[in-house]
Amino acid sequence: MVEERFEFRSSTKNNLLKFIVAGLVLSVIGVVLMNLGGAHAEHEAVAEGHHGFAWYKRLYTNIWINNVYFTGVAVVGVFFFALQYVAQAGWSVGIKRIAMSFGSWLPIAGILMLVSFLAFSHDIFHWTHHSLYEQGPDYDAIIDGKSGFFFWPLHAGGFPLFFILRMVAFFGLWYWLFRILQKYMLAEDIEGGTQYWYTMRKYSAIFLVIFAVSSSIAAWDWVMSIDTHWFSTMFGWYMFASWWVTTLALIGFITILLKDAGYLSIVNSNHLHDLGKFIFAFSIFWTYIWFSQFLLIYYANIPEETVYFFERWQGGHYTPLFFFNLIINFLLPFLLLMTRDSKRHSRFLKVVAPIVIVGHWLDFYLMITPGVLKDNGNYGLLELGLFMTYAGAFIFVVLRQLSKAPLFAKNHPMLEESIHHHV
């Protein structure tokens, strides 16, 4: 089998850099427009004796949305790679390294997450305000009861050491195992045989166990704790489902683009069919988790639970997005990928994959924004620009990583199975 290497051409780099710059420009324009509008609103509010809305909170909120969203895609890419080894799957030999390349974003994601939290956590996370833990008008008994989860072993309302340690530990473990798997993956190309395949199975199993625990806790820490009074025992699954289907869509989209560019000769319509089935199935799985969480809260009708959906369902301009979220993330993928042929042809997946990728960014927007900004949330040039900036940077890092090694392992023990894969 001839080795295939992706060439990260200067034209592709320049186009991505232009895309990133365009995103930054839109973000700056959005900030300027918000600042001007915020100054006008502040002037009117002061005249009426009220406090105006701080425009920079919307900037911080969008930075946090993109941090969490792209962190998830990066770590779930490694999860996909590890899952193939634990499941002893042979069909995915030609695409596993695409998913694995997503992990190269993890060190950048870790730095962005940590710096962002340290820089503006007070504007994102209500529980970080020390007055909530001291007897007085702002004291909150419910949040104080959860203080150990954030601040242990330090005093409540101080430095959230336990929270920070978890964040650092998660990124450290994810990246450490990513590097180990990457090392053995590249060694397999040189020496062949089954030794490295068995070694990667072992480390993949370790990664899956660590990921199962850390991804759920990350969901509680980074998103659910924004609405500190509210909680859902299904939230870890819900956030994973959104990350997972987004990653599958991105794997499929990059695979198709590489095929169109003349790469991945061993990938055919049967492999695309499997990717299409995954996107189709896990779009339904995400909907199942969404509906299960919603139905349990709706049926119980407990005020401290229903407030989460009231903010989104009856929150003014969030209402259209609330219903559009279901249309773009369930109805459209369901209808477009329902037939067998639609899963096997790239022209359908080229449409569905971007819909899913953008749709689940919207899902994270709805998870985070109402809890932070309440009725002051909005969407416009800033949201579009920051998404473009992060997306361009993420794809740049992924493509650079793909160019450093063959696109698939010519010595993989299941290569023949993948070549003759038929569904």
Side-chain angles (χ1 to χ4, degrees):
M1 178 61 63
V2 178
E3 189 174 86
E4 288 187 18
R5 284 183 174 269
F6 170 69
E7 182 185 354
F8 195 13
R9 296 189 176 94
S10 57
S11 58
T12 306
K13 294 178 182 177
N14 290 335
N15 288 335
L16 280 172
L17 290 173
K18 290 176 183 176
F19 188 78
I20 294 169
V21 170
L24 288 172
V25 170
L26 288 176
S27 301
V28 171
I29 294 174
V31 168
V32 170
L33 292 176
M34 279 196 306
N35 201 6
L36 293 174
H40 179 69
E42 179 70 25
H43 177 74
E44 291 184 347
V46 170
E48 296 173 3
H50 301 292
H51 294 288
F53 168 64
W55 61 267
Y56 53 81
K57 288 187 177 181
R58 184 171 153 196
L59 171 63
Y60 297 160
T61 302
N62 278 279
I63 290 173
W64 192 255
I65 292 169
N66 285 286
N67 283 346
V68 174
Y69 177 83
F70 286 100
T71 293
V73 175
V75 70
V76 174
V78 185
F79 170 82
F80 179 92
F81 181 89
L83 189 63
Q84 305 310 304
Y85 279 93
V86 172
Q88 303 182 53
W91 72 274
S92 55
V93 171
I95 64 171
K96 279 193 294 193
R97 293 192 174 181
I98 295 173
M100 187 62 166
S101 66
F102 294 177
S104 57
W105 180 258
L106 282 173
I108 300 172
I111 293 170
L112 288 172
M113 287 287 288
L114 184 59
V115 170
S116 297
F117 181 81
L118 294 175
F120 48 76
S121 60
H122 287 313
D123 293 299
I124 302 292
F125 297 95
H126 180 60
W127 58 262
T128 58
H129 295 271
H130 64 85
S131 60
L132 299 171
Y133 307 93
E134 299 173 351
Q135 293 299 326
D138 295 332
Y139 177 74
D140 192 311
I142 294 176
I143 296 179
D144 190 26
K146 300 179 180 182
S147 61
F149 185 70
F150 302 119
F151 300 99
W152 179 88
L154 305 181
H155 68 279
F159 183 74
L161 182 61
F162 197 22
F163 183 96
I164 294 293
L165 287 177
R166 287 198 299 272
M167 181 185 290
V168 173
F170 293 163
F171 278 103
L173 287 169
W174 293 341
Y175 188 62
W176 173 64
L177 286 166
F178 162 72
R179 294 290 295 176
I180 289 175
L181 290 170
Q182 185 183 58
K183 180 181 72 174
Y184 288 119
M185 177 189 77
L186 298 176
E188 185 180 56
D189 270 349
I190 299 171
E191 300 184 26
T194 58
Q195 174 190 352
Y196 293 112
W197 185 85
Y198 283 109
T199 302
M200 280 190 280
R201 271 193 72 196
K202 178 181 70 175
Y203 281 105
S204 293
I206 294 171
F207 178 86
L208 294 188
V209 173
I210 292 173
F211 176 81
V213 177
S214 60
S215 62
S216 286
I217 298 175
W220 307 337
D221 281 356
W222 303 343
V223 178
M224 193 169 73
S225 73
I226 290 172
D227 295 275
T228 322
H229 286 183
W230 179 83
F231 71 92
S232 167
T233 55
M234 300 181 67
F235 196 80
W237 276 106
Y238 178 77
M239 194 158 134
F240 164 74
S242 198
W243 272 345
W244 176 233
V245 73
T246 302
T247 306
L248 291 170
L250 187 57
I251 292 169
F253 193 59
I254 293 177
T255 299
I256 291 167
L257 294 181
L258 288 174
K259 283 287 293 179
D260 289 348
Y263 297 103
L264 297 178
S265 58
I266 69 168
V267 174
N268 54 43
S269 59
N270 296 292
H271 302 97
L272 295 181
H273 189 182
D274 279 342
L275 281 171
K277 285 190 294 186
F278 270 121
I279 298 169
F280 176 78
F282 283 100
S283 291
I284 297 173
F285 175 73
W286 171 85
T287 310
Y288 164 71
I289 299 295
W290 186 98
F291 184 70
S292 297
Q293 180 175 258
F294 174 80
L295 186 63
L296 288 170
I297 292 173
Y298 179 85
Y299 182 79
N301 198 27
I302 300 173
E304 56 265 33
E305 292 182 356
T306 56
V307 63
Y308 181 85
F309 285 102
F310 269 111
E311 285 181 346
R312 291 152 177 81
W313 191 358
Q314 298 182 357
H317 56 269
Y318 296 123
T319 304
L321 293 180
F322 180 84
F323 291 103
F324 184 64
N325 189 33
L326 292 174
I327 294 171
I328 194 172
N329 289 321
F330 167 62
L331 191 60
L332 290 180
F334 180 78
L335 294 176
L336 292 172
L337 291 179
M338 184 180 293
T339 65
R340 183 177 188 271
D341 286 344
S342 66
K343 301 181 188 74
R344 298 178 66 84
H345 296 294
S346 61
R347 64 178 178 270
F348 284 99
L349 292 176
K350 279 181 181 177
V351 173
V352 176
I355 287 175
V356 171
I357 291 165
V358 174
H360 282 278
W361 182 91
L362 172 63
D363 189 33
F364 276 89
Y365 174 90
L366 285 172
M367 287 187 222
I368 294 172
T369 303
V372 180
L373 302 181
K374 307 302 180 185
D375 295 334
N376 296 305
N378 214 324
Y379 38 88
L381 292 181
L382 174 63
E383 284 71 22
L384 174 62
L386 275 180
F387 176 73
M388 289 173 60
T389 302
Y390 272 82
F394 182 88
I395 296 300
F396 189 97
V397 170
V398 166
L399 294 183
R400 186 179 62 181
Q401 181 65 38
L402 278 177
S403 67
K404 293 179 179 179
L407 286 173
F408 59 85
K410 65 179 185 297
N411 290 322
H412 194 285
M414 292 187 175
L415 180 60
E416 285 300 314
E417 178 182 336
S418 182
I419 291 172
H420 299 290
H421 178 62
H422 180 74
V423 288

